[in-house]
Amino acid sequence: MSVDKQPFKPLIAAFCCNWCSYAGADLAGTSRLAYPAEVKIIRVPCSCRVNPLFVLRAFQRGADGVIIAGCHPGDCHYTTGNYYARRRMTLLFSMLDYLGIEKERTKLDWISAAEGVKFATVMNDFSKEIHALGRNTRFGDLRCTTAVAQ
Amino acid sequence: MHNSSCTVKETARKILESGQAERLLGWEQDSSGYNHAPAVFKSAGELDRFIYDRFCGSNLSKLLARLREAEGRTAVLLKACDRESFNLLVREHRIDPEQVHRVDIECSGMVDIEKLRNKGIKGIREITESGDELHISTLYGEKRCRSEEVLLEKCLSCPAVSSADAFDAVGQMEERSSLERYEFWKEALSTCIRCNACRNSCPVCTCEQCIFDNPRSGTAGKASADFFEDQHFHLVRVFHAAGRCTDCGECTRVCPQGIPLYLLNRKVIKDINELYGELSLEDKELGKGALTSFSFQDAHPDIIRKRTGDQ
Amino acid sequence: MQRIGVFVCWCGSNIAAAVDIETVVQAMKSEPGVVYSTDYQYMCSEAGQGKLKDAVKEHGLTGIVICACSPRMHEATFRNAAKAAGVNPYMVEIANIREQCSWIHRDRAEATAKAVVLSRTAVAKVNLNTPLTPGTSDVVKRALVIGGGIAGLQSALDIAEAGYQVDIVEKQPTIGGKMAQLDKTFPTLDCAACILTPKMVDAAQHENIRIYTYSEVEQVSGFVGNFSVRIRGKARSVKADICSGCGLCMEKCPSKKAKDEFNMGLNNRRAIYIPFAQAIPNVPVIDREQCIKFKTGKCGLCARVCPADAVDFEQQDSIIEERYGAVVLATGFHTLSLEHYDEYQYARQPDVITSLELERIMNAAGPTGGKLLRPSNGKAPKSVVFVQCVGSRDTTGCGKTYCSKICCMYTAKHAMLIREKYPEVDVSVFYIDVRTPGKNFDEFYRRAVEDYGVRYIKGMVGKVVPEKGRLLVRGSDLLDDSQVALEADLVVLASAVEADASAKGLATLLTASIDTNNFYTEAHPKLKPVESPTAGVYLSGVCQGPKDIPETVAQASAAAVKVVGLLSKDKLLSNPCIARADELLCSGCSNCEHVCPYGAVSYIEQELRIHGRNQIRRIAKVNEAICQGCGACTVVCTSGAMDLRGFSNSQIMAEVDALCR
């Protein structure tokens, strides 16, 4: 272990729906609205495409925060996708909180294609929260360690 | 309803003799005597090994899904806790109700042999009950204990047997701090030996091939040492069961490590009850579940962040 | 193993100024599957695309990663370039290192590091891409319009004029719908019949239009481009092909007790009847519940007097089976039943009427010959009170929460017409708000107030009480902060617009979604206002939400254009990034079907060979022409049998892995 501390650089995975939030991210870029480089986007067709497994996978691979962004309720390109996403993610976030994962590490927000400013704001705020929490050490411990693998 | 062991066996005999069903799913005496295994009986003659007593915890409904291909009707004995999972399997087309002769049987709670043993009761010959007391005749004489003390975890939340609130334990867990919850689950989940007993007994787990066994799923466990299965098998399982789990308690009952898996499943059920309530009649008729339906007014996940008790 | 080429674009200085291009190029060389990595100033230019094509040839590339601007910008460009170079267009992925990297991160080291991560994420995905080909399906060049009101007629006429066959199905014995019942139309006060009936005639005479009146859609199967529809034509008991419409049967019919629906029950009609004089077709129908012949077996007078021998008591329902490429829903509305509004005494006092009843009373062809008379005693009223928002904007649960949109304007119209014809009659209007957003609408309303002296009172009516043969209307005047009580001879209630009762059943038949008020939901509230989320189903008129006649006609024509656009294609190309179920993994649980917004999933019994044995299994089948590729189904599929091409589970997991590495 090195003695001098590296400044904490979090890793944030952002799942963005193709029609609203990904376009919102593009608009933030076109408008040169800065947010931290640790936010990295994965494009999905709809927020309802985000399987809870993907979120777990990101945490398992070392993400410190995961955010899902989709069209506002009522505006989903596929009409109802974000409503399903909302339920799934509520239950997932609640379960992660129940398991002792800090509840600020997960977030769902609605960001439209016109909301470049909101995109940058949401990402800045989320990143601040993750910085405050520090590295995600708990998730990796919620595994089965008894056996011989490794 | 059939309560005593004799009448259940008699019912089974009648069904097989009358040809109401080609076969019957019941329990047979296991070698240890205290954890009777599911078994298929094809004729009345085979019923000698049939047993129905306080050690028939296993849920038979899941086996129906495996007998789907069998010719003719299958009769099945369903305790109260098994009926909901039976309904789920019908809803998800895993069981053809036309092919099943369903017999609802009474149950006054199944006994957890480990809990009996922990009380120092060994050499059991027969168990009878009077009121809420069990009279256990053993090789070493007559023993007594309150039945609630030795019932399976799943029976403690069964309204027919116990007045306890199934969600009490979840509520208590929720009231702990985030750090305490993390310590608890770290400890509990670390003991998993990945024997897959929970999955194999779960009536929700009837996939043709589990993603943990499918090398192409991106989740299967064979490729690397640091595999996903090790790490978050139980979390994924909770989510696959979300909105479908009927709290039949099989996972907890069969876990050789005593991991309180019911605390995970019941948490999801509690959330669903509190956040979404009952399904609309229309959704129910369509066979939908909590995660295959929605309402425009559903809460935003930010409500989780507003919960108190952080750490 | 793929052979992947990575092309890092400078975008002039847009990317190169913030990202060290060379670092990205070099970093990609060691990524799995990458056989070639290079950069260029402008990848989207002719020369840049040429570079891509050359590299495909030279290095035998099977996959391509472009690290450049947003895929929303140039994904199509690079897919076409790949196609031209002989690589399947769906083997291209874009790493967005401009909008989502170089333009927002000022620290060069940070931006470069992020560009490397985004690029390797795209590489990880391409490693799992598979060539995709859009499916094709045929288009039946005939449209079905359900509903023969002004919306349906306009859609049908526009489609027919464009040269395509159209069938109109109308459940009433005549086309015309609600507009046929109206007297005058706002804001021009021209006569509704004068502008509607020529359209009815045009539709009836159009060589491309077939009209099935007194008919209902019973069953629908198929999908965009090829719907199979079963239509039930109810028995009229009159042979339409030989009836001359002379009307003798109606004159002689002795059964005179049926409420005349067209006149809102204000007078009676015969058991054999034509709803109104300009009805199309001009063929009577026998109301079998009222007909003495059907009830007792005796009578048959109509049959005896018919010179054409057209009456047929034995006539059966007819069944029509037809295939259509597109369906237009134009099922319209009815007005809310006011049975439960005791405070207005609608059910008890004949002089409390709805606005649609007033339309009939004011109409020259109506029950009073166009004279304003009280239904109770046939005398002229001296004072008329209008009440707006009856059942609209109602949060008590009794009515509808939405604004019915047209009531403010038609109430102003009614008030004005009464004051013009009967200047001696006092006219007052109770309103919550007066909403007049429309061309010449506010001017119209102001004319009612300023030129015609209609008294507008801001406030709701609490109670209508019968008193000495008149009606006492008690309400509040919010502007004056006082209680008012007006004596009236006629009270007119602007009852809420409600989706037609047939909408819900049709939504189920067509898997078109409806909202909580049974109005059809549009595919997108802003950008696809006339399309239903179900491909090939379009929305016309009030069935989508309250609207006035010009809006209805505009929407009807818009829906027609969409239909024409669809029918003009010989083949439909579908988006290949759609869901597909792995039959060996599918357990037939139906969960995917439950969440599909398009009804694209159905189930088949399929024989599969599993472990050397044949088994019949229930398997999900995705209709490729209907699926839009949202992926909702994939997440409820626990076995991962249902997967989305182009955004598969393993692709997204690989992206997550690469991103978090």
Side-chain angles (χ1 to χ4, degrees), chain A residues 57 60 83 86-87 92 94 97-100 103-104 106 108 129 138-139 141-147, chain B residues 178 181-182 190-191 194 218 228 230-232 239 263 271 290 295-296 298 300-301 304-305 307 310:
Chain A
R57 177 79 153 217
Q60 188 216 345
Y83 293 117
R86 182 164 66 183
R87 275 204 176 186
L92 173 68
S94 175
D97 171 44
Y98 183 75
L99 291 164
K103 54 184 184 265
E104 294 81 6
T106 48
L108 170 87
E129 287 183 299
R138 293 185 187 175
F139 191 81
D141 289 336
L142 296 178
R143 67 173 83 181
C144 325
T145 49
T146 298
Chain B
S178 171
R181 291 196 296 271
Y182 154 70
S190 72
T191 61
R194 296 183 302 293
F228 199 46
D230 268 29
Q231 304 210 9
H232 301 105
F239 270 87
L263 284 177
D271 277 351
S295 134
F296 295 122
D298 282 347
H300 187 276
I304 310 295
R305 294 172 147 243
R307 282 181 188 157
D310 38 10

Side-chain angles (χ1 to χ4, degrees), chain B residues 1-12:
Chain B
M1 287 288 182
H2 314 273
N3 46 10
S4 84
S5 175
C6 290
T7 46
V8 172
K9 193 164 181 170
E10 205 36 53
T11 307

Side-chain angles (χ1 to χ4, degrees), chain C residues 129-432:
Chain C
N129 279 21
T130 46
L132 302 176
T133 329
T136 60
S137 55
D138 293 332
V139 180
V140 177
K141 303 212 177 253
R142 181 189 295 276
L144 172 66
V145 175
I146 305 176
I150 180 62
L153 290 174
Q154 185 66 44
S155 292
L157 280 167
D158 288 350
I159 297 166
E161 275 301 297
Y164 297 100
Q165 306 282 319
V166 196
D167 290 356
I168 300 175
V169 172
E170 168 57 55
K171 65 179 174 182
Q172 299 297 335
T174 173
I175 55 171
K178 287 282 180 296
M179 188 174 167
Q181 292 176 274
L182 304 184
D183 180 38
K184 301 262 189 322
T185 57
F186 61 76
T188 45
L189 296 183
D190 41 355
C191 134
C194 310
I195 52 178
L196 174 71
T197 47
K199 275 202 189 291
M200 292 165 62
V201 173
D202 285 351
Q205 291 179 347
H206 205 291
E207 56 175 11
N208 285 343
I209 298 180
R210 288 189 302 197
I211 299 174
Y212 298 109
T213 49
Y214 213 44
S215 300
E216 286 182 54
V217 170
E218 203 169 64
Q219 203 179 56
V220 181
S221 60
F223 47 88
V224 56
N226 194 354
F227 293 100
S228 294
V229 179
R230 189 163 81 207
I231 300 160
R232 176 176 293 270
K234 289 173 280 186
R236 275 181 179 266
S237 313
V238 175
K239 292 176 190 153
D241 48 345
I242 54 175
C243 168
S244 67
C246 70
L248 208 52
C249 52
M250 300 192 286
E251 272 172 41
K252 300 290 180 201
C253 176
S255 166
K256 303 172 184 171
K257 284 187 196 139
K259 291 272 177 219
D260 185 339
E261 298 88 353
F262 188 75
N263 280 336
M264 301 306 292
L266 291 166
N267 63 345
N268 293 344
R269 60 157 169 79
R270 311 294 171 103
I272 185 165
Y273 70 105
I274 291 177
F276 60 102
Q278 298 90 346
I280 289 179
N282 186 26
V283 175
V285 53
I286 294 181
D287 178 346
R288 290 186 174 188
E289 279 176 14
Q290 296 293 335
C291 173
I292 299 167
K293 173 81 176 172
F294 278 98
K295 285 202 288 195
T296 67
K298 294 171 202 145
C299 189
L301 203 55
C302 52
R304 287 203 292 280
V305 299
C306 178
D309 202 16
V311 176
D312 177 4
F313 296 115
E314 309 292 315
Q315 200 179 53
Q316 300 291 311
D317 289 358
S318 56
I319 301 290
I320 299 127
E321 307 255 6
E322 187 60 82
R323 286 163 67 223
Y324 300 99
V327 179
V328 177
L329 288 166
T331 50
F333 70 102
H334 55 255
T335 53
L336 184 73
S337 156
L338 299 179
E339 299 291 307
H340 299 299
Y341 285 84
D342 290 343
E343 63 267 40
Y344 302 126
Q345 299 273 331
Y346 174 75
R348 262 169 272 153
Q349 294 298 323
D351 292 336
V352 179
I353 60 172
T354 67
S355 301
L356 200 49
E357 288 165 27
L358 182 68
E359 290 281 354
R360 295 313 303 152
I361 291 175
M362 305 280 282
N363 190 291
T368 59
K371 289 197 194 73
L372 182 66
L373 300 174
R374 303 174 70 193
S376 61
N377 57 9
K379 290 188 180 148
K382 293 192 187 70
S383 156
V384 180
V385 172
F386 288 86
V387 184
Q388 292 197 179
C389 290
V390 176
S392 301
R393 305 174 71 190
D394 181 343
T395 48
T396 62
C398 212
K400 304 290 176 184
T401 51
Y402 53 82
C403 167
S404 292
K405 200 169 183 178
I406 54 174
C407 324
C408 287
M409 286 302 290
Y410 70 59
T411 300
K413 172 188 78 177
H414 289 155
M416 208 186 284
L417 288 173
I418 291 175
R419 291 283 298 161
E420 180 161 278
K421 257 174 124 178
Y422 311 97
E424 71 286 1
V425 177
D426 280 332
V427 177
S428 308
V429 178
F430 281 94
Y431 70 99
I432 307 180

Side-chain angles (χ1 to χ4, degrees), chain A residues 9 11 18 22-23 26 29 32-35 37 39-41 43 45 48-49 54 57-58 61 75 78 88, chain C residues 70-72 75 96 99-100 103-105 110 114 526 598 630 632 634-635 643 647-649 656-657 660:
Chain A
K9 282 270 173 204
L11 178 58
N18 183 46
Y22 192 89
D26 279 355
R32 310 296 197 277
L33 299 164
Y35 54 88
V39 177
K40 298 185 179 83
I41 295 170
R43 183 164 69 128
C48 74
R49 177 66 187 94
F54 303 161
R57 177 79 153 217
R61 293 288 192 251
D75 287 353
Y78 307 99
R88 281 169 197 158
Chain C
S70 172
R72 299 171 55 82
E75 189 172 57
N96 184 341
E99 282 85 346
Q100 297 180 6
W103 274 354
I104 40 174
H105 307 313
E110 261 189 6
K114 181 171 175 181
K526 286 99 194 173
Y598 308 101
C630 68
T634 60
V635 180
D643 211 348
F647 292 94
S648 70
N649 287 331
V656 170
D657 289 356
C660 296

Side-chain angles (χ1 to χ4, degrees), chain C residues 465-472 474 487:
Chain C
V465 197
E467 204 174 76
K468 294 177 198 151
R470 299 187 84 192
L471 297 160
L472 193 65
R474 292 183 187 279
E487 287 198 344

